[in-house]
């Protein structure tokens, strides 16, 4: 903030997620731990945002809650309210396969932290929502990633229900603006949690 090149800087903090279980398949315990880790990380992201806000009270500070959006999508899979393509699991849909020759098993296993194209799409609409204060419903849902072929996957399009991913991102923006969670610097938007 001190080195900003604009007179009205804004700070955006990309909140992430933790590692999945390195061995497959995921089980109920490892999924629950992953979701709890996201909650724990979120507390730290919010404390970090508050420190910035305390040091620079006039600067808007927003968290881009990608971890929370992934957590919500995982919960919807567990609740059977999000149907994934071709019977894939959440992890098979949102996390990429490991690279060839990887010490984690190569193409036959799933990466435990890096997102697939579908996960990247969910992250992108969350960024869009937070940065532009706008719901991304209606944005393109067929997003080619021409440079994402890592030797295990092909350059296919996003394979999740993109409108649902957009709605989840909008839901988290609603929490930010109307409940005052994860957003600092606009006192008119902050109200007490119900």
């Amino acid at each position: 903030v001190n080195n900003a090149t604009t007179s009205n800087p804004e700070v955006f903090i990309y909140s992430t997620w933790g590692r999945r279980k390195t061995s497959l398949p995921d089980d109920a315990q490892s999924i629950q731990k992953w979701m709890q880790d996201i909650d724990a990380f979120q507390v730290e992201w919010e404390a970090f945002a508050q420190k910035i806000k305390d040091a620079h009270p006039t600067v808007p500070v927003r968290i881009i809650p990608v971890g929370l959006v992934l957590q919500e999508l995982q919960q919807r899979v567990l609740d059977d309210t999000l149907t994934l393509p071709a019977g894939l699991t959440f992890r098979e849909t949102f996390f990429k396969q490991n690279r060839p020759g990887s010490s984690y098993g190569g193409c036959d296993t799933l990466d435990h932290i890096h997102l697939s194209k579908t996960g990247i799409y969910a992250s992108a609409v969350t960024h869009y929502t937070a940065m532009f204060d706008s719901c991304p419903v209606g944005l393109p849902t067929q997003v080619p990633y021409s440079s994402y072929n890592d030797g295990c996957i092909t350059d296919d399009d996003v394979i999740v229900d993109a409108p649902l991913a957009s709605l989840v991102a909008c839901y988290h923006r609603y929490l930010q603006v109307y409940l005052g969670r994860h957003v600092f610097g606009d006192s008119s938007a902050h109200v007490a949690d119900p």
Side-chain angles (χ1 to χ4, degrees), residues 2-4 23 27 39 49-50 74 80 99 106 111 118 125 146 150 154 159 186 188 190 193-194:
N2 291 333
N3 297 321
S23 60
D27 53 35
D39 288 333
Q50 189 62 56
Q74 171 71 84
D80 290 326
R99 294 182 180 278
D111 194 291
T118 302
V125 296
S146 59
D150 64 2
T154 57
I159 56 171
D186 182 358
S188 65
H190 184 86
D193 285 43

Side-chain angles (χ1 to χ4, degrees), residues 108-179:
D108 293 331
T109 60
L110 294 171
D111 194 291
H112 58 277
I113 195 148
H114 299 102
L115 298 177
S116 66
K117 295 176 190 181
T118 302
I120 290 170
Y121 183 84
S123 174
V125 296
T126 305
H127 276 78
Y128 179 93
T129 301
M131 295 178 79
F132 295 106
D133 264 342
S134 180
C135 201
V137 173
L139 289 179
T141 59
Q142 297 297 306
V143 184
Y145 293 92
S146 59
S147 63
Y148 202 68
N149 188 334
D150 64 2
C152 293
I153 58 175
T154 57
D155 294 321
D156 53 353
D157 292 329
V158 172
I159 56 171
V160 75
D161 182 343
L164 179 61
S166 295
L167 286 171
V168 171
C170 291
Y171 165 75
H172 282 282
R173 186 64 190 135
Y174 161 80
L175 289 179
Q176 290 178 332
V177 173
Y178 296 103
L179 299 183

Side-chain angles (χ1 to χ4, degrees), residues 17 20 37 41-42 137 139 158:
W17 53 95
R20 300 292 291 215
D37 286 349
F41 294 151
Q42 193 64 27
V137 173
L139 289 179
V158 172

Side-chain angles (χ1 to χ4, degrees), residues 1 10-17 41-54 56 59-69 123 126-131 173 176 181-184:
V1 175
E10 293 180 79
V11 175
F12 293 92
I13 299 170
Y14 177 28
S15 88
T16 56
W17 53 95
F41 294 151
Q42 193 64 27
V43 170
E44 293 183 29
W45 290 122
E46 290 178 20
F48 179 57
Q50 189 62 56
K51 284 182 182 178
I52 296 170
K53 188 63 197 156
D54 290 345
H56 305 278
V59 174
V61 180
R62 291 193 177 97
I63 294 177
I64 302 171
V66 177
L68 291 177
V69 168
S123 174
T126 305
H127 276 78
Y128 179 93
T129 301
M131 295 178 79
R173 186 64 190 135
Q176 290 178 332
R181 289 187 63 197
H182 325 307
V183 61
F184 306 88

